[in-house]
Amino acid sequence: MKKFIYIILGMLIISIVSITLIGGSLQKKVEQTESSNYKNNVTYNLGKLPEDLIMLDSNNLREKDILANTFEGLVNCDENGKIVPALAESWDISQDGTNYTFKIRKDGKWSDGSDITANDFVNFFSDILNKNTNNIFSDQLNCIFGVEDYRKGKCDFNNVAITALNNKTLNIRLNYPCNYFLNILSQPIYALRNIDSKLIDWKKDYRSIMYSGSFCINNISDSGEITLKKNSHYWNKAQVKSNSITLSSLKTKESALAAFQSSTINVFTDPPLGELKTIEGKAKYKVSPLLQGEGIAFNLKRSGIANDNSFRKAVAASINRNNIVKNILNSTALESYSYIPQYTGDGLNGKYINKVFFQGNEDIKKASDMMKSVSSSYGEASLKLIYLDTVENKKTCEAIGESIKKAVGIDVKCEGYEASKFNEKLKKGDYDMAEIKYEGYYDYPLSFLDMWRSASQYNLYGYRNVQFDNKFMNAKFEKDGTKRIEILKEMENMLMEDMPIIPLYFNDVIISQKNYVQGIYTNKLGNIKLDKAYLDVH
């Protein structure tokens, strides 16, 4: 009996030891798997995943990184702002600047191996410009003959001047010369894709989507982690450095930073600014300028002191841009001394440069002198300054509020809101001033000025200037590119004289990456590009 018990105990001990060893082996295997994911792949935190892959109803820059890496259009915009061939290997522009003929690559293929044709582009433009498609960017293509009428349902697409001359030749005819037309087409929203239900339900149907870009979506985990694989049928696949890329979907800067520090991810954008020195000591980060600015917009829809131009100019004189950029933003932005960034292209192979409107430091005396011409009848005890609720925006608005109090003697109440509530406040006009983000959707100054047209859907602030509107139309129809730039400068001058907005600074995208990650870059529009990304672990 004792011998039997000893045998049983021995078997139990062997089993426990075996289980412990196996468990330890499994634990080690799990740890290796988890740690090798980021070491074997560039792992980039995209942030919140988009609702769909049509993406014509919003302008979230980071969400469009998916479009920029899985689909491709006729042309691309590189990191220097140069327009480069994409699915169109070449193009010809007529002498009068109104006729564009694109040669589609012979080796241009969908991810299933089928040929990409000129008719694919015809169908694509027909779908995105359809009146039933929620497309906030459609006005950009009103330069194409027939688009505006088609969008309004006045004609069918046969009357739109986007036609396939043959299988590999696409022709687009414009209403007027538009030397920034290729800049418009270089946006990720014009990357070729089949506009269908698969793009809407992409998290379920990603395997059946046909991709036209450098990567395909290979897997989406339950946690929202996306695995991209190199598109084996992509025309430029030889230049794509990585066979696989991982995209995580951590929604906050703080969670992305924690994942970066624990090496769950190895690339993310826009870290908490207070942590930059910490990151710099253990990894690297680089800063790329965006076609995007921040400014203080005034509510011109209602009467009051904010509707007084002299008051707005007094506020402008009271702002210390140097303090905001250096001490609040840790020098990760560029002070804006004009409305349009000086690195914006002029469509003439140069940069758009207008005169300097503002200074870096505050001028309290100038602000106080300007206030002398402001009527004392307004009687506002305080003003409401609203902002999108971030740490940096809060500090910026509080600094501006203190400057206004010092210069003009009016208290400013600063209120931060999450995105949907902030937009609701703007639409309802429940504010006096608002810190807003404004941007050029493509690399040309007209894109920045567009939002201040009286009829613009982005003009939520009540600015109305008939002369400004007329000059906008004159600029669009001006055949001479140099003369058009002069008109655009006149428009910016008018905007700065009327001052519906005070520019503060121009944004940068900050890319944080481990030292062994190479090849990450942004295009001129600010999208993260992953085709050249790879790991250098040696």
Side-chain angles (χ1 to χ4, degrees), residues 160-197:
V160 177
I162 303 176
T163 54
L165 302 183
N166 56 50
N167 210 33
K168 290 289 185 178
T169 308
L170 180 74
N171 180 258
I172 300 179
R173 181 164 54 87
L174 308 183
N175 291 308
Y176 46 84
C178 182
N179 62 344
Y180 53 93
F181 180 58
L182 295 178
N183 298 68
I184 293 175
L185 293 182
S186 70
Q187 297 173 81
I189 55 172
Y190 299 118
L192 180 65
R193 54 205 186 279
N194 291 322
I195 306 297
D196 56 20
S197 60

mmCIF file of all heavy atoms in Angstrom, residues 160-197:
data_model
loop_
_atom_site.group_PDB
_atom_site.id
_atom_site.type_symbol
_atom_site.label_atom_id
_atom_site.label_comp_id
_atom_site.label_asym_id
_atom_site.label_seq_id
_atom_site.Cartn_x
_atom_site.Cartn_y
_atom_site.Cartn_z
ATOM 1 N N VAL A 160 -19.927 65.075 -67.888
ATOM 2 C CA VAL A 160 -18.748 65.500 -67.137
ATOM 3 C C VAL A 160 -17.509 65.160 -67.964
ATOM 4 O O VAL A 160 -17.398 64.062 -68.506
ATOM 5 C CB VAL A 160 -18.683 64.806 -65.759
ATOM 6 C CG1 VAL A 160 -17.408 65.201 -65.016
ATOM 7 C CG2 VAL A 160 -19.917 65.161 -64.932
ATOM 8 N N ALA A 161 -16.586 66.101 -68.032
ATOM 9 C CA ALA A 161 -15.423 65.943 -68.917
ATOM 10 C C ALA A 161 -14.309 65.115 -68.272
ATOM 11 O O ALA A 161 -13.152 65.515 -68.182
ATOM 12 C CB ALA A 161 -14.889 67.306 -69.336
ATOM 13 N N ILE A 162 -14.683 63.925 -67.794
ATOM 14 C CA ILE A 162 -13.728 62.912 -67.332
ATOM 15 C C ILE A 162 -14.004 61.666 -68.148
ATOM 16 O O ILE A 162 -15.019 60.988 -67.933
ATOM 17 C CB ILE A 162 -13.879 62.619 -65.821
ATOM 18 C CG1 ILE A 162 -13.707 63.885 -64.999
ATOM 19 C CG2 ILE A 162 -12.866 61.561 -65.377
ATOM 20 C CD1 ILE A 162 -13.934 63.692 -63.498
ATOM 21 N N THR A 163 -13.146 61.378 -69.095
ATOM 22 C CA THR A 163 -13.442 60.306 -70.055
ATOM 23 C C THR A 163 -12.227 59.405 -70.267
ATOM 24 O O THR A 163 -11.073 59.844 -70.161
ATOM 25 C CB THR A 163 -13.862 60.888 -71.418
ATOM 26 O OG1 THR A 163 -12.844 61.804 -71.868
ATOM 27 C CG2 THR A 163 -15.192 61.629 -71.309
ATOM 28 N N ALA A 164 -12.516 58.152 -70.590
ATOM 29 C CA ALA A 164 -11.473 57.196 -70.942
ATOM 30 C C ALA A 164 -11.325 57.201 -72.461
ATOM 31 O O ALA A 164 -12.251 56.814 -73.177
ATOM 32 C CB ALA A 164 -11.839 55.803 -70.441
ATOM 33 N N LEU A 165 -10.180 57.657 -72.948
ATOM 34 C CA LEU A 165 -9.943 57.661 -74.397
ATOM 35 C C LEU A 165 -9.665 56.261 -74.893
ATOM 36 O O LEU A 165 -9.995 55.918 -76.030
ATOM 37 C CB LEU A 165 -8.777 58.598 -74.731
ATOM 38 C CG LEU A 165 -8.937 60.065 -74.291
ATOM 39 C CD1 LEU A 165 -7.740 60.880 -74.747
ATOM 40 C CD2 LEU A 165 -10.236 60.651 -74.835
ATOM 41 N N ASN A 166 -9.023 55.475 -74.070
ATOM 42 C CA ASN A 166 -8.842 54.047 -74.305
ATOM 43 C C ASN A 166 -8.571 53.402 -72.953
ATOM 44 O O ASN A 166 -8.697 54.048 -71.909
ATOM 45 C CB ASN A 166 -7.720 53.759 -75.323
ATOM 46 C CG ASN A 166 -6.387 54.370 -74.915
ATOM 47 O OD1 ASN A 166 -5.934 54.189 -73.786
ATOM 48 N ND2 ASN A 166 -5.762 55.109 -75.832
ATOM 49 N N ASN A 167 -8.185 52.146 -72.963
ATOM 50 C CA ASN A 167 -8.023 51.394 -71.725
ATOM 51 C C ASN A 167 -7.022 52.024 -70.755
ATOM 52 O O ASN A 167 -7.156 51.910 -69.538
ATOM 53 C CB ASN A 167 -7.590 49.964 -72.051
ATOM 54 C CG ASN A 167 -8.094 48.970 -71.016
ATOM 55 O OD1 ASN A 167 -9.170 49.147 -70.464
ATOM 56 N ND2 ASN A 167 -7.301 47.948 -70.751
ATOM 57 N N LYS A 168 -6.016 52.686 -71.275
ATOM 58 C CA LYS A 168 -4.940 53.215 -70.442
ATOM 59 C C LYS A 168 -4.746 54.733 -70.586
ATOM 60 O O LYS A 168 -3.701 55.250 -70.205
ATOM 61 C CB LYS A 168 -3.625 52.499 -70.765
ATOM 62 C CG LYS A 168 -3.581 51.038 -70.310
ATOM 63 C CD LYS A 168 -3.500 50.940 -68.783
ATOM 64 C CE LYS A 168 -3.326 49.510 -68.319
ATOM 65 N NZ LYS A 168 -3.198 49.403 -66.853
ATOM 66 N N THR A 169 -5.744 55.431 -71.104
ATOM 67 C CA THR A 169 -5.623 56.881 -71.277
ATOM 68 C C THR A 169 -6.861 57.573 -70.721
ATOM 69 O O THR A 169 -7.985 57.300 -71.159
ATOM 70 C CB THR A 169 -5.447 57.269 -72.752
ATOM 71 O OG1 THR A 169 -4.381 56.513 -73.317
ATOM 72 C CG2 THR A 169 -5.132 58.753 -72.880
ATOM 73 N N LEU A 170 -6.641 58.453 -69.751
ATOM 74 C CA LEU A 170 -7.724 59.198 -69.114
ATOM 75 C C LEU A 170 -7.590 60.670 -69.477
ATOM 76 O O LEU A 170 -6.505 61.237 -69.402
ATOM 77 C CB LEU A 170 -7.645 59.042 -67.593
ATOM 78 C CG LEU A 170 -8.716 59.771 -66.777
ATOM 79 C CD1 LEU A 170 -10.057 59.053 -66.899
ATOM 80 C CD2 LEU A 170 -8.306 59.885 -65.303
ATOM 81 N N ASN A 171 -8.708 61.272 -69.880
ATOM 82 C CA ASN A 171 -8.703 62.695 -70.225
ATOM 83 C C ASN A 171 -9.623 63.456 -69.269
ATOM 84 O O ASN A 171 -10.750 63.032 -68.996
ATOM 85 C CB ASN A 171 -9.167 62.906 -71.665
ATOM 86 C CG ASN A 171 -9.162 64.375 -72.050
ATOM 87 O OD1 ASN A 171 -10.199 65.028 -72.089
ATOM 88 N ND2 ASN A 171 -7.980 64.906 -72.331
ATOM 89 N N ILE A 172 -9.122 64.587 -68.758
ATOM 90 C CA ILE A 172 -9.919 65.470 -67.894
ATOM 91 C C ILE A 172 -9.817 66.887 -68.451
ATOM 92 O O ILE A 172 -8.716 67.414 -68.623
ATOM 93 C CB ILE A 172 -9.422 65.442 -66.431
ATOM 94 C CG1 ILE A 172 -9.519 64.026 -65.861
ATOM 95 C CG2 ILE A 172 -10.239 66.416 -65.574
ATOM 96 C CD1 ILE A 172 -9.034 63.893 -64.428
ATOM 97 N N ARG A 173 -10.980 67.478 -68.739
ATOM 98 C CA ARG A 173 -11.012 68.838 -69.297
ATOM 99 C C ARG A 173 -11.568 69.800 -68.256
ATOM 100 O O ARG A 173 -12.604 69.533 -67.635
ATOM 101 C CB ARG A 173 -11.850 68.866 -70.579
ATOM 102 C CG ARG A 173 -11.919 70.243 -71.240
ATOM 103 C CD ARG A 173 -12.414 70.117 -72.691
ATOM 104 N NE ARG A 173 -13.669 69.398 -72.776
ATOM 105 C CZ ARG A 173 -14.865 69.952 -72.663
ATOM 106 N NH1 ARG A 173 -14.976 71.247 -72.443
ATOM 107 N NH2 ARG A 173 -15.961 69.218 -72.787
ATOM 108 N N LEU A 174 -10.882 70.922 -68.076
ATOM 109 C CA LEU A 174 -11.249 71.897 -67.053
ATOM 110 C C LEU A 174 -12.030 73.065 -67.647
ATOM 111 O O LEU A 174 -11.974 73.327 -68.852
ATOM 112 C CB LEU A 174 -9.992 72.437 -66.363
ATOM 113 C CG LEU A 174 -9.001 71.416 -65.800
ATOM 114 C CD1 LEU A 174 -7.862 72.138 -65.081
ATOM 115 C CD2 LEU A 174 -9.682 70.425 -64.881
ATOM 116 N N ASN A 175 -12.722 73.775 -66.777
ATOM 117 C CA ASN A 175 -13.437 74.988 -67.185
ATOM 118 C C ASN A 175 -12.488 76.149 -67.436
ATOM 119 O O ASN A 175 -12.789 77.052 -68.216
ATOM 120 C CB ASN A 175 -14.426 75.412 -66.088
ATOM 121 C CG ASN A 175 -15.580 74.451 -65.944
ATOM 122 O OD1 ASN A 175 -16.240 74.118 -66.921
ATOM 123 N ND2 ASN A 175 -15.814 73.997 -64.721
ATOM 124 N N TYR A 176 -11.350 76.120 -66.747
ATOM 125 C CA TYR A 176 -10.400 77.231 -66.820
ATOM 126 C C TYR A 176 -9.026 76.683 -66.435
ATOM 127 O O TYR A 176 -8.924 75.616 -65.801
ATOM 128 C CB TYR A 176 -10.805 78.361 -65.866
ATOM 129 C CG TYR A 176 -11.200 77.884 -64.482
ATOM 130 C CD1 TYR A 176 -10.226 77.650 -63.500
ATOM 131 C CD2 TYR A 176 -12.534 77.658 -64.153
ATOM 132 C CE1 TYR A 176 -10.581 77.212 -62.249
ATOM 133 C CE2 TYR A 176 -12.892 77.209 -62.894
ATOM 134 C CZ TYR A 176 -11.916 76.985 -61.943
ATOM 135 O OH TYR A 176 -12.275 76.536 -60.702
ATOM 136 N N PRO A 177 -7.953 77.359 -66.786
ATOM 137 C CA PRO A 177 -6.618 76.889 -66.408
ATOM 138 C C PRO A 177 -6.479 76.838 -64.886
ATOM 139 O O PRO A 177 -6.920 77.744 -64.182
ATOM 140 C CB PRO A 177 -5.670 77.940 -67.008
ATOM 141 C CG PRO A 177 -6.463 78.622 -68.057
ATOM 142 C CD PRO A 177 -7.889 78.590 -67.601
ATOM 143 N N CYS A 178 -5.889 75.778 -64.409
ATOM 144 C CA CYS A 178 -5.788 75.568 -62.960
ATOM 145 C C CYS A 178 -4.431 74.916 -62.703
ATOM 146 O O CYS A 178 -4.319 73.693 -62.689
ATOM 147 C CB CYS A 178 -6.939 74.674 -62.503
ATOM 148 S SG CYS A 178 -6.997 74.346 -60.739
ATOM 149 N N ASN A 179 -3.413 75.736 -62.479
ATOM 150 C CA ASN A 179 -2.062 75.179 -62.366
ATOM 151 C C ASN A 179 -1.809 74.461 -61.045
ATOM 152 O O ASN A 179 -0.717 73.971 -60.806
ATOM 153 C CB ASN A 179 -1.002 76.269 -62.584
ATOM 154 C CG ASN A 179 -1.057 77.378 -61.541
ATOM 155 O OD1 ASN A 179 -2.050 77.512 -60.835
ATOM 156 N ND2 ASN A 179 0.008 78.152 -61.450
ATOM 157 N N TYR A 180 -2.824 74.379 -60.188
ATOM 158 C CA TYR A 180 -2.729 73.613 -58.951
ATOM 159 C C TYR A 180 -3.630 72.373 -58.996
ATOM 160 O O TYR A 180 -3.863 71.729 -57.967
ATOM 161 C CB TYR A 180 -3.091 74.496 -57.749
ATOM 162 C CG TYR A 180 -4.426 75.195 -57.879
ATOM 163 C CD1 TYR A 180 -5.592 74.642 -57.378
ATOM 164 C CD2 TYR A 180 -4.518 76.429 -58.526
ATOM 165 C CE1 TYR A 180 -6.823 75.274 -57.507
ATOM 166 C CE2 TYR A 180 -5.743 77.080 -58.662
ATOM 167 C CZ TYR A 180 -6.885 76.492 -58.151
ATOM 168 O OH TYR A 180 -8.081 77.129 -58.299
ATOM 169 N N PHE A 181 -4.125 72.024 -60.190
ATOM 170 C CA PHE A 181 -5.041 70.894 -60.328
ATOM 171 C C PHE A 181 -4.393 69.585 -59.868
ATOM 172 O O PHE A 181 -5.021 68.772 -59.188
ATOM 173 C CB PHE A 181 -5.510 70.787 -61.779
ATOM 174 C CG PHE A 181 -6.455 69.644 -62.035
ATOM 175 C CD1 PHE A 181 -7.646 69.541 -61.331
ATOM 176 C CD2 PHE A 181 -6.151 68.656 -62.970
ATOM 177 C CE1 PHE A 181 -8.524 68.483 -61.559
ATOM 178 C CE2 PHE A 181 -7.019 67.612 -63.209
ATOM 179 C CZ PHE A 181 -8.206 67.519 -62.501
ATOM 180 N N LEU A 182 -3.127 69.385 -60.208
ATOM 181 C CA LEU A 182 -2.442 68.160 -59.793
ATOM 182 C C LEU A 182 -2.255 68.126 -58.283
ATOM 183 O O LEU A 182 -2.266 67.052 -57.671
ATOM 184 C CB LEU A 182 -1.100 68.031 -60.502
ATOM 185 C CG LEU A 182 -1.152 67.850 -62.029
ATOM 186 C CD1 LEU A 182 0.251 67.794 -62.606
ATOM 187 C CD2 LEU A 182 -1.935 66.596 -62.411
ATOM 188 N N ASN A 183 -2.092 69.292 -57.664
ATOM 189 C CA ASN A 183 -1.996 69.360 -56.202
ATOM 190 C C ASN A 183 -3.294 68.871 -55.561
ATOM 191 O O ASN A 183 -3.277 68.188 -54.539
ATOM 192 C CB ASN A 183 -1.701 70.787 -55.740
ATOM 193 C CG ASN A 183 -0.381 71.309 -56.259
ATOM 194 O OD1 ASN A 183 -0.226 71.525 -57.455
ATOM 195 N ND2 ASN A 183 0.576 71.527 -55.383
ATOM 196 N N ILE A 184 -4.414 69.241 -56.173
ATOM 197 C CA ILE A 184 -5.707 68.772 -55.677
ATOM 198 C C ILE A 184 -5.787 67.249 -55.771
ATOM 199 O O ILE A 184 -6.146 66.564 -54.817
ATOM 200 C CB ILE A 184 -6.864 69.417 -56.475
ATOM 201 C CG1 ILE A 184 -6.917 70.921 -56.211
ATOM 202 C CG2 ILE A 184 -8.198 68.772 -56.092
ATOM 203 C CD1 ILE A 184 -7.959 71.656 -57.042
ATOM 204 N N LEU A 185 -5.406 66.707 -56.938
ATOM 205 C CA LEU A 185 -5.517 65.270 -57.161
ATOM 206 C C LEU A 185 -4.562 64.452 -56.302
ATOM 207 O O LEU A 185 -4.741 63.239 -56.155
ATOM 208 C CB LEU A 185 -5.263 64.949 -58.636
ATOM 209 C CG LEU A 185 -6.292 65.459 -59.651
ATOM 210 C CD1 LEU A 185 -5.911 65.000 -61.049
ATOM 211 C CD2 LEU A 185 -7.699 64.981 -59.299
ATOM 212 N N SER A 186 -3.536 65.093 -55.739
ATOM 213 C CA SER A 186 -2.547 64.355 -54.956
ATOM 214 C C SER A 186 -3.045 63.994 -53.555
ATOM 215 O O SER A 186 -2.388 63.230 -52.843
ATOM 216 C CB SER A 186 -1.255 65.163 -54.840
ATOM 217 O OG SER A 186 -1.437 66.302 -54.007
ATOM 218 N N GLN A 187 -4.202 64.497 -53.143
ATOM 219 C CA GLN A 187 -4.729 64.186 -51.815
ATOM 220 C C GLN A 187 -5.141 62.714 -51.717
ATOM 221 O O GLN A 187 -5.625 62.133 -52.690
ATOM 222 C CB GLN A 187 -5.951 65.058 -51.519
ATOM 223 C CG GLN A 187 -5.676 66.541 -51.458
ATOM 224 C CD GLN A 187 -6.969 67.323 -51.320
ATOM 225 O OE1 GLN A 187 -7.517 67.460 -50.231
ATOM 226 N NE2 GLN A 187 -7.462 67.850 -52.421
ATOM 227 N N PRO A 188 -4.986 62.102 -50.542
ATOM 228 C CA PRO A 188 -5.393 60.702 -50.374
ATOM 229 C C PRO A 188 -6.855 60.432 -50.696
ATOM 230 O O PRO A 188 -7.200 59.314 -51.086
ATOM 231 C CB PRO A 188 -5.102 60.434 -48.887
ATOM 232 C CG PRO A 188 -4.023 61.381 -48.539
ATOM 233 C CD PRO A 188 -4.309 62.623 -49.336
ATOM 234 N N ILE A 189 -7.716 61.443 -50.549
ATOM 235 C CA ILE A 189 -9.139 61.216 -50.842
ATOM 236 C C ILE A 189 -9.368 60.898 -52.316
ATOM 237 O O ILE A 189 -10.408 60.341 -52.682
ATOM 238 C CB ILE A 189 -10.019 62.412 -50.425
ATOM 239 C CG1 ILE A 189 -9.530 63.710 -51.074
ATOM 240 C CG2 ILE A 189 -10.092 62.530 -48.926
ATOM 241 C CD1 ILE A 189 -10.448 64.890 -50.869
ATOM 242 N N TYR A 190 -8.410 61.238 -53.186
ATOM 243 C CA TYR A 190 -8.547 60.932 -54.613
ATOM 244 C C TYR A 190 -7.755 59.697 -55.013
ATOM 245 O O TYR A 190 -7.502 59.471 -56.195
ATOM 246 C CB TYR A 190 -8.144 62.147 -55.454
ATOM 247 C CG TYR A 190 -9.014 63.352 -55.168
ATOM 248 C CD1 TYR A 190 -8.472 64.523 -54.652
ATOM 249 C CD2 TYR A 190 -10.387 63.296 -55.359
ATOM 250 C CE1 TYR A 190 -9.273 65.613 -54.353
ATOM 251 C CE2 TYR A 190 -11.193 64.373 -55.063
ATOM 252 C CZ TYR A 190 -10.636 65.535 -54.558
ATOM 253 O OH TYR A 190 -11.449 66.600 -54.254
ATOM 254 N N ALA A 191 -7.370 58.884 -54.016
ATOM 255 C CA ALA A 191 -6.734 57.595 -54.304
ATOM 256 C C ALA A 191 -7.786 56.631 -54.831
ATOM 257 O O ALA A 191 -8.915 56.575 -54.320
ATOM 258 C CB ALA A 191 -6.077 57.041 -53.046
ATOM 259 N N LEU A 192 -7.434 55.864 -55.840
ATOM 260 C CA LEU A 192 -8.388 54.998 -56.542
ATOM 261 C C LEU A 192 -8.862 53.851 -55.654
ATOM 262 O O LEU A 192 -8.069 53.086 -55.120
ATOM 263 C CB LEU A 192 -7.721 54.432 -57.803
ATOM 264 C CG LEU A 192 -8.583 53.494 -58.657
ATOM 265 C CD1 LEU A 192 -9.779 54.243 -59.244
ATOM 266 C CD2 LEU A 192 -7.737 52.864 -59.768
ATOM 267 N N ARG A 193 -10.180 53.748 -55.518
ATOM 268 C CA ARG A 193 -10.805 52.648 -54.808
ATOM 269 C C ARG A 193 -12.226 52.488 -55.305
ATOM 270 O O ARG A 193 -12.808 53.441 -55.833
ATOM 271 C CB ARG A 193 -10.772 52.876 -53.298
ATOM 272 C CG ARG A 193 -11.364 54.199 -52.836
ATOM 273 C CD ARG A 193 -10.753 54.612 -51.492
ATOM 274 N NE ARG A 193 -11.393 55.801 -50.928
ATOM 275 C CZ ARG A 193 -11.113 57.057 -51.291
ATOM 276 N NH1 ARG A 193 -10.229 57.282 -52.248
ATOM 277 N NH2 ARG A 193 -11.728 58.077 -50.718
ATOM 278 N N ASN A 194 -12.769 51.294 -55.170
ATOM 279 C CA ASN A 194 -14.149 51.042 -55.565
ATOM 280 C C ASN A 194 -15.071 51.516 -54.452
ATOM 281 O O ASN A 194 -15.046 50.978 -53.345
ATOM 282 C CB ASN A 194 -14.370 49.552 -55.850
ATOM 283 C CG ASN A 194 -13.655 49.094 -57.097
ATOM 284 O OD1 ASN A 194 -13.588 49.823 -58.090
ATOM 285 N ND2 ASN A 194 -13.106 47.896 -57.072
ATOM 286 N N ILE A 195 -15.871 52.529 -54.729
ATOM 287 C CA ILE A 195 -16.757 53.098 -53.708
ATOM 288 C C ILE A 195 -17.982 52.196 -53.579
ATOM 289 O O ILE A 195 -18.931 52.277 -54.365
ATOM 290 C CB ILE A 195 -17.174 54.536 -54.081
ATOM 291 C CG1 ILE A 195 -15.941 55.395 -54.359
ATOM 292 C CG2 ILE A 195 -18.022 55.145 -52.965
ATOM 293 C CD1 ILE A 195 -15.010 55.584 -53.185
ATOM 294 N N ASP A 196 -17.931 51.318 -52.590
ATOM 295 C CA ASP A 196 -19.030 50.352 -52.419
ATOM 296 C C ASP A 196 -19.203 50.027 -50.942
ATOM 297 O O ASP A 196 -18.545 50.613 -50.070
ATOM 298 C CB ASP A 196 -18.763 49.076 -53.226
ATOM 299 C CG ASP A 196 -17.418 48.420 -52.886
ATOM 300 O OD1 ASP A 196 -16.878 48.723 -51.793
ATOM 301 O OD2 ASP A 196 -16.916 47.634 -53.689
ATOM 302 N N SER A 197 -20.075 49.084 -50.671
ATOM 303 C CA SER A 197 -20.397 48.724 -49.284
ATOM 304 C C SER A 197 -19.210 48.112 -48.561
ATOM 305 O O SER A 197 -19.134 48.161 -47.328
ATOM 306 C CB SER A 197 -21.579 47.751 -49.258
ATOM 307 O OG SER A 197 -21.261 46.560 -49.970
#
